Amino acid sequence: MRKDKKLILLKELLLTDDRALIGALNLKINTLESIIEQREKLSQKVDPLIDLKLQEYTNDIPKKLGPMITESLKNEILKSKNQVVDALYPIIGKMIKKYIQQEFKILSDKINHQLKKRFSIASFLRLFKSKFMGVDEESLMLQELAKTAIQEIFIIEKKSGLLKANFSKTTTIDKEVISAMLTAIKSFVEEAFITGEEHLEAIEYGLYNIHIQNFESYYIAVVIHGVYDTIYKSKLKSKLLDFSANNISNTTNTNLAEKLAEVFKNGII
Amino acid sequence: MVSSKKVVLLGHFGVGKSSIIRKFVNNEFSSDYKVSIGVHILKKEVQLSNNDSVSIIIWDMEGTDSLTLINKVYLLGTHSFIYVYDVTRPLTFKSLSQDIISLKTRFPTSLIKTVGNKVDLLTDIEKEKHQVLFKINDYLSSAKTGENIEQLFQDIAIELKH
């Protein structure tokens, strides 16, 4: 018995610390288990709600934050215009360069194609036209390649600037306001810079030209995109003279617009 | 049916010509170039009945001290002139009678309307003082309150239509 007691005492002495440690570890494991369990339970309930909220937030971002972001970007750009231009300049420059290179390649391919057909009937006709009109063949070839197209035609009363008829392939701002504005510009230029009976005959802006042809009580303004050279000008003048002689003097304004659309519908003369 | 008419606004600097038409018009170009070429173009379509309207193309001239300074080509083909002056600044209506006579002589078939603007700045006593002058006017208006502005263009549209 004494021996047993001594053994128990010895066990207690040796194992007390270990038992305390094991007890503490068990407690920690139990706590962790319950935390994980609780989290899993909570997650099952909360996750769908969070997902829903996130989805709603994502959907609402453009609506709620869009105007604020746009506004603040706008302000930032306005504040530092020069820096923005400096930053964008090389990028835009490269884009333009790339575009021009591409366009030149296309043009070059077309010219090569034309040259290959040098002995075609069209080529002989061009050569003949070149000799006859005194225009070099290259210009004629370029003209054939870059198709000139009429975008808009305005027939405008000379004095009042009121629009008599219009043909348009695009939807621009109010045609009547454009007519009055063209008349104001024309009057201003003629009064300020041109003396005698001369008139303003063309306005150039970017890739567009406005051909202006004067008649007795009205003038015709034609907005052209593409090559606007002497040959085209001459052809257009003849076409407008014919149109005027055949239609303007004996047609009402409503019919005039229809006639314009009929004659110039494809924009090519 | 829509018919188009040219209406020219004349008057001294700062009488309120542009203010008169600012709220009234449908379409306009930017007025930035007004300083360059001396005119601002705007448009208003006035409905007279269900199927009858007048498209008024308004040429708002840069303010000048004298009609002679206006590019005369701008006045050609005008169906109606609106001569605007400031009721609070006698300088702006000093030459009113002479200018009207001159316009009538040069453009005998055109309709001419005179408009005394900024009437909201006058007291009743001041109005009485100006009564003699106001008798010869067609309209007393205020671009600020909108008084008589719509009426002016409505009347012009009706008169030009007939």
Side-chain angles (χ1 to χ4, degrees):
Chain A
M1 283 296 282
R2 208 176 157 191
K3 198 179 176 182
D4 290 345
K5 272 184 186 175
K6 278 184 182 175
L7 191 66
I8 290 167
L9 188 64
L10 185 65
K11 266 185 186 175
E12 273 176 9
L13 281 171
L14 288 170
L15 299 174
T16 301
D17 285 349
D18 287 348
R19 278 179 186 158
L21 187 66
I22 291 165
L25 282 171
N26 275 338
L27 192 66
K28 277 188 180 173
I29 289 166
N30 287 340
T31 315
L32 282 170
E33 267 177 1
S34 82
I35 287 171
I36 290 165
E37 214 169 281
Q38 271 178 353
R39 271 192 182 173
E40 273 172 7
K41 280 180 189 167
L42 201 65
S43 166
Q44 279 171 4
K45 288 183 180 173
V46 170
D47 280 2
L49 287 173
I50 292 173
D51 286 347
L52 190 71
K53 271 284 159 201
L54 270 174
Q55 188 59 41
E56 276 176 12
Y57 184 68
T58 314
N59 292 342
D60 284 354
I61 281 177
K63 209 189 294 172
K64 285 185 179 165
L65 291 178
M68 282 168 64
I69 294 170
T70 313
E71 192 55 35
S72 97
L73 273 174
K74 216 186 265 177
N75 288 338
E76 282 304 311
I77 291 171
L78 272 177
K79 269 188 231 162
S80 45
K81 228 179 212 173
N82 288 340
Q83 284 92 322
V84 174
V85 171
D86 284 344
L88 289 178
Y89 201 85
I91 303 165
I92 294 172
K94 274 181 193 166
M95 277 167 62
I96 294 171
K97 196 180 163 195
K98 202 173 169 186
Y99 175 77
I100 290 173
Q101 276 173 341
Q102 177 65 17
E103 288 300 303
F104 263 106
K105 193 176 172 299
I106 295 168
L107 184 66
S108 155
D109 288 348
K110 283 183 179 174
I111 290 172
N112 286 338
H113 182 68
Q114 291 282 75
L115 286 172
K116 275 180 193 166
K117 294 195 300 180
R118 189 150 183 87
F119 298 105
S120 66
I121 295 171
S123 173
F124 280 115
L125 278 175
R126 190 170 52 241
L127 189 65
F128 177 73
K129 202 172 164 185
S130 162
K131 298 277 179 219
F132 183 74
M133 297 181 92
V135 181
D136 58 67
E137 207 187 340
E138 289 79 2
S139 298
L140 287 173
M141 197 185 283
L142 275 175
Q143 197 189 345
E144 281 172 18
L145 293 168
K147 292 242 164 50
T148 309
I150 291 170
Q151 301 292 316
E152 300 200 57
I153 304 178
F154 299 87
I155 301 177
I156 302 165
E157 277 181 19
K158 224 176 197 174
K159 286 182 180 174
S160 66
L162 293 176
L163 182 66
K164 281 167 80 75
N166 164 254
F167 160 72
S168 178
K169 286 169 78 183
T170 53
T171 47
T172 50
I173 57 166
D174 197 290
K175 315 287 179 202
E176 287 193 296
V177 180
I178 292 177
S179 303
M181 198 61 227
L182 271 175
T183 309
I185 293 168
K186 185 173 174 302
S187 304
F188 174 76
V189 173
E190 288 171 356
E191 191 74 8
F193 306 111
I194 300 170
T195 50
E197 284 302 300
E198 285 175 86
H199 295 284
L200 179 70
E201 290 185 344
I203 299 171
E204 189 185 332
Y205 65 103
L207 295 171
Y208 292 86
N209 282 280
I210 304 175
H211 168 90
I212 297 171
Q213 195 154 327
N214 289 283
F215 294 85
E216 182 57 27
S217 63
Y218 58 91
Y219 68 93
I220 303 179
V222 185
V223 181
I224 298 152
H225 181 262
V227 179
Y228 174 67
D229 56 13
T230 320
I231 300 166
Y232 187 84
K233 203 167 157 182
S234 161
K235 266 169 80 177
L236 184 61
K237 270 186 177 175
S238 306
K239 184 99 175 176
L240 292 176
L241 280 170
D242 288 347
F243 182 84
S244 168
N246 296 331
N247 301 296
I248 300 186
S249 52
N250 52 8
T251 320
T252 63
N253 280 7
T254 334
N255 290 340
L256 200 52
E258 284 168 17
K259 283 277 171 197
L260 269 178
E262 191 185 311
V263 176
F264 297 94
K265 64 184 169 198
N266 56 8
I268 311 287
I269 53 165
Chain B
M1 191 183 161
V2 186
S3 58
S4 300
K5 303 291 174 187
K6 175 178 177 179
V7 172
V8 172
L9 270 151
L10 301 166
H12 283 64
F13 292 104
V15 294
K17 296 185 297 296
S18 301
S19 304
I20 282 179
I21 50 173
R22 180 72 53 203
K23 290 176 196 165
F24 175 76
V25 296
N26 302 124
N27 293 309
E28 62 173 310
F29 268 110
S30 153
S31 58
D32 296 349
Y33 56 81
K34 192 174 173 183
V35 179
S36 320
I37 66 167
V39 63
H40 180 202
I41 305 220
L42 312 94
K43 177 185 166 178
K44 170 76 179 177
E45 199 159 307
V46 179
Q47 200 72 35
L48 297 178
S49 65
N50 280 345
N51 52 1
D52 201 9
S53 63
V54 178
S55 179
I56 297 181
I57 312 297
I58 304 161
W59 292 49
D60 174 19
M61 297 294 163
E62 196 178 25
T64 52
D65 292 336
S66 166
L67 282 187
T68 52
L69 297 173
I70 294 173
N71 185 340
K72 59 181 186 294
V73 191
Y74 288 165
L75 307 182
L76 296 175
T78 302
H79 296 99
S80 174
F81 290 100
I82 302 174
Y83 189 106
V84 186
Y85 69 89
D86 180 347
V87 290
T88 66
R89 286 164 55 211
L91 182 72
T92 65
F93 50 86
K94 205 174 72 181
S95 58
L96 176 67
S97 310
Q98 278 170 279
D99 286 342
I100 299 300
I101 292 168
S102 161
L103 282 174
K104 279 182 177 165
T105 313
R106 287 162 66 192
F107 305 97
T109 57
S110 304
L111 184 67
I112 300 170
K113 298 280 184 191
T114 55
V115 178
N117 192 36
K118 301 190 186 177
V119 75
D120 56 289
L121 296 176
L122 288 188
T123 61
D124 289 342
I125 299 162
E126 283 171 324
K127 272 185 193 173
E128 273 175 34
K129 274 187 188 172
H130 284 75
Q131 211 154 15
V132 181
L133 178 73
F134 290 162
K135 272 182 189 165
I136 61 160
N137 297 326
D138 296 307
Y139 300 87
L140 287 178
S141 75
S142 165
K144 194 177 173 186
T145 63
E147 187 181 336
N148 270 335
I149 308 285
E150 287 278 345
Q151 192 60 48
L152 165 69
F153 286 97
Q154 188 75 25
D155 292 350
I156 288 173
I158 292 168
E159 285 185 60
L160 290 179
K161 191 77 183 181
H162 299 116

